[in-house]
Amino acid sequence: MSRKSSENQAFSLKIISWYKANPRELPWRGTTDPYKIWLSEIILQQTRVAQGLPYYYAFSETYPTVKDLALAPESEVLRLWQGLGYYSRARNLHSCAKFIWYELGGIFPNTYSELLKLKGVGSYTAAAISSFAFGEVKAVVDGNVFRVLARYFGIDTDIASGKAKIEFETLANKLIPNENPGEYNQAIMDFGARLCVPKNPDCPKCPLKETCFAYQKNLVKDLPVKINKTKVKERNLHYYVIRCGENWVWKKRKSGDIWEGLHDFPHSEGEPAPYLGISEEKPRLIPKKYRHILSHQRLNASFSELEIPLEKHQELSKWCENEGYLLVAENEIEYLAKPKLIVNFLTDQGI
DNA sequence: AACCCGGGGCT
DNA sequence: AGCCCAGGGTT
């Protein structure tokens, strides 16, 4: 690694100095266990610390080691992840744990390039684990780092572009010191999360304001540049809550749509169906409508109930098998991983 | 390069 | 309502 320029050293020294006076106390700090660090980093992807914390405690207590996670059934892992979102993270987490336990003899990969091969581990997460756990000099570039560097150095490249990813990672790797690289990575992220915040940062309190491009040019509001082109899709979902005695009809969601691997009910999109294949009876519409907002979809959901008489249990069972549905006893529902929308519905139903 | 994948909190 | 959050995978 080449020697850092004095300007770069001044930047990193001020960031570290600020951090030492203003550290966040977080449960995964102070450990060098790559498993715990990996766990925290996956949980925190696109997730605020405050939202991820309870999940970190739950996972690190339920699965203290990579072996414990590897030996758990995926259904249990997804259930523990319930409510956190981006569920592919949980599936990849579990898949990696099995890979590390069964294929790598339980030895966690210990370099940036080996970590990068793990499912769900990209350049940010590989840099975080390799620097925090193994002291490798690899700079993290997350949303905080994009913002801090764009403002301080006056970079107006669209941070959503692939070009920016390369540009900012190259710059970040010139700034990171060879001594205590993990501490520097923690420092710049805390600095972005607590001082150089997206809206209305308290620049007068900033130790870097004298040499900050954006502050000196009055461009703090304009940096970083992010061109957002995600279009939100509106969807109308109609769910059928089919019960036969104590048994409910459930569906495990497949790939190609939201909530893969989670459980909801048989449903149609668009207009509710007047009758279902299993009964001549008309489903009874529940008046309450549910609006559920995702980052890329707005869901309008309604629910209808249908009670199947006990005599038809055999026929219902056959129907579920043909349609790929599951019959689940009411007291087992709590163990299914479900999207928040469905949890909200069940709560309203007193389940 | 463009698109997809959750849920929550702040402005 | 829009933006952002210790991003990554797929096409």
Side-chain angles (χ1 to χ4, degrees):
Chain A
M1 184 66 62
S2 64
R3 232 167 54 77
K4 315 293 178 184
S5 77
S6 57
E7 290 83 3
N8 291 349
Q9 282 187 32
F11 175 84
S12 54
L13 285 175
K14 282 181 183 171
I15 291 284
I16 290 171
S17 172
W18 177 89
Y19 172 65
K20 284 181 172 168
N22 305 273
R24 283 188 290 188
E25 309 250 338
L26 300 172
W28 47 83
R29 286 195 174 152
T31 181
T32 55
D33 178 357
Y35 167 72
K36 292 286 179 61
I37 293 168
W38 169 62
L39 189 56
S40 73
E41 294 301 338
I42 301 298
I43 287 172
L44 292 173
Q45 287 171 1
Q46 290 295 283
T47 303
R48 293 180 182 278
V49 168
Q51 187 185 2
L53 261 179
Y55 289 86
Y56 176 78
Y57 288 124
F59 272 83
S60 56
E61 283 169 23
T62 308
Y63 312 119
T65 68
V66 71
K67 175 184 178 183
D68 298 310
L69 182 56
L71 298 185
E74 188 190 79
S75 58
E76 185 185 287
V77 177
L78 279 170
R79 176 61 184 81
L80 203 56
W81 199 271
Q82 176 176 297
L84 196 55
Y86 285 154
Y87 297 94
S88 67
R89 291 183 292 172
R91 298 193 308 271
N92 287 336
L93 191 78
H94 183 240
S95 167
C96 283
K98 288 197 290 185
F99 173 72
I100 291 166
W101 181 246
Y102 291 111
E103 308 296 329
L104 303 183
I107 308 297
F108 218 93
N110 63 357
T111 64
Y112 176 85
S113 59
E114 288 301 311
L115 288 160
L116 205 48
K117 296 176 183 171
L118 298 176
K119 275 186 282 186
V121 175
S123 59
Y124 163 77
T125 306
I129 300 171
S130 67
S131 66
F132 300 157
F134 306 114
E136 190 167 344
V137 186
K138 273 285 189 297
V140 295
V141 178
D142 71 335
N144 294 305
V145 177
F146 270 121
R147 186 169 57 253
V148 171
L149 297 186
R151 285 175 175 166
Y152 185 83
F153 293 97
I155 304 168
D156 62 0
T157 310
D158 171 19
I159 63 168
S161 68
K163 183 183 170 214
K165 184 176 165 66
I166 295 169
E167 184 178 357
F168 281 79
E169 284 180 354
T170 302
L171 172 58
N173 278 307
K174 287 177 180 165
L175 296 168
I176 189 170
N178 292 329
E179 301 78 30
N180 301 322
E183 181 182 48
Y184 167 78
N185 277 337
Q186 303 270 16
I188 191 168
M189 288 193 286
D190 264 24
F191 181 78
R194 299 181 66 180
L195 203 162
C196 195
V197 292
K199 302 287 180 189
N200 307 319
D202 194 0
C203 293
K205 282 191 182 166
C206 179
L208 294 161
K209 62 173 183 286
E210 312 298 341
T211 45
C212 174
F213 180 93
Y215 184 69
Q216 295 300 328
K217 306 278 188 188
N218 198 21
L219 290 171
V220 174
K221 295 191 314 299
D222 304 309
L223 292 171
V225 173
K226 186 175 183 183
I227 302 171
N228 207 340
K229 40 200 161 193
T230 46
K231 41 178 182 273
V232 178
K233 187 164 55 172
E234 194 95 12
R235 295 175 72 177
N236 298 313
L237 298 178
H238 193 78
Y239 280 112
Y240 305 101
V241 183
I242 306 166
R243 288 194 284 264
C244 180
E246 289 297 296
N247 291 312
W248 296 48
V249 178
W250 287 83
K251 179 180 180 60
K252 184 172 183 179
R253 297 184 63 92
K254 300 194 170 117
S255 65
D257 201 349
I258 54 175
W259 302 327
E260 179 183 348
L262 275 64
H263 299 84
D264 60 3
F265 306 114
H267 55 277
S268 63
E269 199 152 349
E271 292 304 302
Y275 301 99
L276 302 182
I278 183 62
S279 170
E280 300 302 311
E281 196 99 7
K282 197 171 172 147
R284 189 177 62 80
L285 180 65
I286 295 173
K288 180 170 178 180
K289 308 298 180 195
Y290 292 80
R291 188 160 173 83
H292 193 74
I293 310 294
L294 307 179
S295 54
H296 50 296
Q297 296 187 21
R298 293 161 190 264
L299 307 178
N300 298 298
S302 56
F303 294 81
S304 288
E305 295 178 296
L306 183 62
E307 186 73 31
I308 305 292
L310 284 173
E311 311 88 79
K312 294 182 72 176
H313 182 274
Q314 192 79 345
E315 191 183 332
L316 177 66
S317 187
K318 200 81 182 172
W319 182 72
C320 287
E321 199 174 319
N322 290 336
E323 302 289 331
Y325 298 143
L326 308 167
L327 271 180
V328 179
E330 190 164 307
N331 61 0
E332 297 290 328
I333 291 173
E334 59 179 302
Y335 302 112
L336 299 175
K338 302 166 289 290
K340 188 64 164 61
L341 168 64
I342 301 300
V343 172
N344 290 344
F345 170 76
L346 291 172
T347 301
D348 288 346
Q349 298 298 306
I351 303 298

